[in-house]
Amino acid sequence: MIRFITVSKHYLGHQALKDISVDIENGEFVFLIGPSGAGKTTILRLIIRDILPSSGSILLDDIEVHRIPHKKVHHLRRRVGMIFQDFKILQDRTVFENVAIVLEILGRKPKDIEKEVKDALSLVDMVDKMHKFPAQLSAGELQRTSLARAIVMGPKVILADEPTGNLDSENAWKVLSILQEVNKLGTTIIMATHNMDFIKESNYRVISMKDGSIINDEKPKTKK
Amino acid sequence: MRSLKTAWKHIRRSPYQAIVSMLTLFITLLLTGIFSLATVSSIFVLQYFESKPQLTVFFTDKAGEQEVNVLKKTLDQTGKVASMKYVSKEEALVLYREQNKNDPLLLEMVTADILPASLEVTALRPEFLAELEPLIKRSEGVEEVVFQRDIVENLLRWTRGIRIILGGLVGLLVVDTILVIMVVTSMKIALKKEEIEIFRLVGASRWYIRSPFIIEGVTYGVMSAILAWLVITGIVLWYRESIAAFFQSIPIFQIVLGNPMDTPFIASSFGFLGVLSCVGFILGSLGSFFAVNRFLR
């Protein structure tokens, strides 16, 4: 469970978040929507402790995220996968190597790495491209590589910061579909997006933000 | 293994930066090595002179056992004397004969009566000699005081001077070297900023990110140390005989420099390599550690 308790964040006089309190249950799929500057990315960055809150508490299960010492932040990030609008893929490594990084960091054996990376690439339909370099891939393929990197370590939570922002409609839906598959396996997904079609076409919780505040928190409609 | 591979990739991909780092480290270690050898040699030279009787008190013919004992007691009470040895007229004659055994003419005319009795005094520290001198001169039965103060003082002055100048120079070079390695590492970090950022986001520990850069710095340090050691050993071997001849009266130089194939030379040479490598290791790792730490902060 992710819990924000009256969290505020200031950036040099600008208040990015204002006393946010919200709970996200394990296994939930949550859309974060709102105009640019609403505070969506700030929420995601706070969860992976890329930044610290100005006030308030953030809990991931029983861990007080904001209290984790700087030297131990990597333990948290090994439990949380992250994907970005700009993919953040290493240009001098192949698809396979980009995904394998995460497992190398965890100190897995080469044999296990090969199997697990192939499994993750298979989930995002990228096995046939695993020896290609990023320059040889389309935007959709780059984002799917990034997605494979996020899921390969089996995270409890995946944070997606406008992952479809640079993709065409077909690829955007493909990415969402993969995230839905991963969510079905029990992973919590928090996705910041501007794509209103996703919200209309799916039945997930939607947290709307504006000027650093939550203006609406719409739970999924129960199926009849 | 991964850190080693990555470090080697960093070195291979930026050979000019690697050369600059290694040259700077090499010069620092070369001068540090020469400075260390000069310091150690000066310590041995000083120890040699300090082990010799630094001060010889010659007594008048009238002086008897009582005067000698009074002086001995007075010197002992100062707490600044390491040892004292009384040499009687008869013992002085034996020594004289031994020193001039190849010159019969010098031996013919000399008897024990001509030679004065003496007291050989060694101070705990060379600096005490100046304090002991007036005390001895004031004592009954003392005819003359001869001592090696000038040699020891000159030696002390020179070694102090050398230590200050070379120490200062080495200190500056150490700072310069750490800064050069920091700048080179920072440039590499700047080139790999995005990669490091991705590593951090996917859960790499600080050590995982830091280790290739530190191993790279250590590689520069150890390789430069080996180069500096080769150059210094070459110089020592080239001038071995001249150095041994210059310090012919000091046994340690004869033992170490006697034969380069013997254990003393090989042991001290590899010991020296070990010390230089440690210094190189510390300098290389410190420079890169500071640079990466600054970025990871």
Side-chain angles (χ1 to χ4, degrees):
Chain A
M1 181 182 181
I2 297 167
R3 171 170 283 181
F4 275 59
I5 306 166
T6 58
V7 175
S8 293
K9 177 67 187 173
H10 306 267
Y11 291 112
L12 298 167
H14 164 68
Q15 191 157 18
L17 286 185
K18 296 171 191 165
D19 289 334
I20 296 279
S21 291
V22 65
D23 288 352
I24 296 168
E25 298 294 335
N26 287 338
E28 259 195 289
F29 195 123
V30 179
F31 284 119
L32 277 178
I33 60 165
S36 297
K40 306 185 294 292
T41 302
T42 302
I43 283 192
L44 302 182
R45 290 180 70 196
L46 283 166
I47 295 171
I48 55 160
R49 206 194 170 285
D50 194 27
I51 50 172
L52 283 165
S54 306
S55 62
S57 305
I58 301 154
L59 299 171
L60 175 64
D61 294 335
D62 51 350
I63 305 164
E64 287 185 286
V65 173
H66 58 291
R67 289 197 198 279
I68 299 173
H70 194 52
K71 286 177 185 170
K72 292 187 175 172
V73 170
H74 60 275
H75 292 300
L76 167 80
R77 292 183 183 163
R78 288 174 187 180
R79 300 175 65 179
V80 181
M82 179 113 193
I83 53 177
F84 306 87
Q85 185 175 2
D86 60 352
F87 321 128
K88 296 206 186 297
I89 294 290
L90 296 172
Q91 296 299 312
D92 61 344
R93 301 191 192 205
T94 62
V95 167
F96 181 93
E97 288 165 341
N98 263 289
V99 179
I101 285 170
V102 183
L103 301 175
E104 283 169 10
I105 287 169
L106 294 173
R108 298 273 167 83
K109 290 175 187 162
K111 205 175 160 187
D112 297 338
I113 290 176
E114 192 173 340
K115 187 189 173 298
E116 287 175 52
V117 170
K118 279 182 181 167
D119 287 348
L121 288 174
S122 157
L123 197 65
V124 298
D125 195 19
M126 284 290 290
V127 177
D128 56 331
K129 304 263 169 71
M130 69 177 177
H131 297 302
K132 301 257 185 210
F133 281 91
Q136 298 169 294
L137 303 176
S138 68
E141 289 166 338
L142 285 171
Q143 193 57 288
R144 279 188 279 144
T145 305
S146 168
L147 198 47
R149 187 182 62 197
I151 61 179
V152 73
M153 59 177 164
K156 279 181 69 71
V157 182
I158 287 182
L159 308 176
D161 191 5
E162 302 194 21
T164 57
N166 284 338
L167 306 183
D168 58 41
S169 174
E170 188 190 339
N171 276 305
W173 280 105
K174 207 166 184 176
V175 166
L176 179 68
S177 144
I178 296 165
L179 284 172
Q180 286 172 322
E181 287 300 313
V182 176
N183 176 242
K184 279 178 193 162
L185 298 171
T187 308
T188 309
I189 310 280
I190 304 174
M191 179 173 170
T193 186
H194 287 293
N195 193 327
M196 297 310 287
D197 289 341
F198 287 168
I199 291 139
K200 283 178 203 155
E201 297 294 324
S202 52
N203 182 25
Y204 294 123
R205 182 177 172 189
V206 180
I207 298 174
S208 307
M209 298 188 68
K210 195 179 177 189
D211 298 332
S213 301
I214 293 175
I215 52 168
N216 191 25
D217 186 351
E218 195 180 330
K219 307 280 181 199
K221 295 167 194 89
T222 45
K223 285 171 188 167
K224 288 176 186 173
Chain B
M1 199 61 196
R2 185 235 21 136
S3 304
L4 277 174
K5 275 185 188 169
T6 314
W8 176 239
K9 200 165 79 180
H10 288 179
I11 296 170
R12 236 182 37 218
R13 285 187 181 173
S14 49
Y16 295 112
Q17 290 169 357
I19 289 169
V20 167
S21 304
M22 276 186 55
L23 262 181
T24 314
L25 264 162
F26 167 71
I27 293 166
T28 304
L29 290 168
L30 185 71
L31 282 174
T32 307
I34 292 170
F35 168 61
S36 310
L37 282 186
T39 305
V40 170
S41 302
S42 72
I43 289 168
F44 283 134
V45 172
L46 267 175
Q47 275 177 353
Y48 170 76
F49 279 104
E50 283 167 7
S51 70
K52 296 276 141 196
Q54 297 156 341
L55 193 145
T56 310
V57 184
F58 291 103
F59 294 99
T60 58
D61 288 341
K62 288 175 192 167
E65 201 177 323
Q66 195 193 342
E67 282 83 2
V68 174
N69 286 337
V70 168
L71 178 60
K72 272 180 156 178
K73 200 178 170 188
T74 311
L75 290 175
D76 207 29
Q77 279 169 349
T78 62
K80 292 173 180 173
V81 174
S83 67
M84 287 181 276
K85 188 190 169 196
Y86 178 68
V87 181
S88 66
K89 284 171 172 282
E90 288 72 24
E91 286 166 335
L93 182 64
V94 173
L95 284 171
Y96 180 83
R97 282 184 175 153
E98 177 60 29
Q99 282 169 2
N100 300 290
K101 60 187 174 190
N102 299 325
D103 202 341
L105 269 176
L106 288 173
L107 298 175
E108 274 176 20
M109 305 294 289
V110 179
T111 61
D113 292 338
I114 300 173
L115 298 171
S118 61
L119 185 68
E120 292 178 346
V121 181
T122 304
L124 280 172
R125 283 165 57 186
E127 293 87 354
F128 293 156
L129 290 174
E131 296 169 42
L132 294 173
E133 186 199 4
L135 203 68
I136 296 166
K137 278 187 171 168
R138 280 201 301 270
S139 301
E140 290 277 321
V142 172
E143 188 171 43
E144 192 186 358
V145 181
V146 174
F147 65 109
Q148 302 182 33
R149 187 176 63 185
D150 291 344
I151 297 174
V152 174
E153 279 187 352
N154 275 336
L155 213 57
L156 274 175
R157 203 176 307 127
W158 274 98
T159 48
R160 270 195 211 119
I162 289 169
R163 279 178 207 172
I164 290 167
I165 293 167
L166 283 181
L169 190 65
V170 167
L172 271 177
L173 278 168
V174 163
V175 174
D176 174 55
T177 305
I178 290 176
L179 286 176
V180 167
I181 293 173
M182 273 181 76
V183 169
V184 169
T185 311
S186 299
M187 282 164 71
K188 292 188 177 193
I189 290 170
L191 288 172
K192 296 191 166 290
K193 202 174 170 181
E194 202 190 342
E195 184 176 325
I196 293 171
E197 194 53 41
I198 292 170
F199 278 146
R200 290 173 74 178
L201 287 170
V202 298
S205 65
R206 288 156 74 90
W207 175 246
Y208 187 92
I209 295 167
R210 192 186 279 155
S211 57
F213 293 102
I214 292 179
I215 287 173
E216 190 181 343
V218 166
T219 307
Y220 295 148
V222 174
M223 283 175 75
S224 307
I226 293 169
L227 275 178
W229 173 75
L230 283 172
V231 172
I232 294 171
T233 306
I235 293 170
V236 170
L237 281 175
W238 188 261
Y239 291 106
R240 184 177 61 87
E241 286 176 5
S242 312
I243 299 167
F246 186 77
F247 294 112
Q248 60 180 330
S249 53
I250 305 174
I252 186 87
F253 286 97
Q254 309 309 315
I255 296 166
V256 175
L257 298 172
N259 182 354
M261 301 311 285
D262 276 356
T263 315
F265 183 84
I266 294 171
S268 29
S269 182
F270 279 98
F272 184 52
L273 172 65
V275 172
L276 273 185
S277 300
C278 284
V279 176
F281 182 98
I282 292 167
L283 288 181
S285 53
L286 273 186
S288 41
F289 179 82
F290 287 145
V292 187
N293 237 27
R294 219 158 55 106
F295 181 79
L296 289 179
R297 217 163 29 206

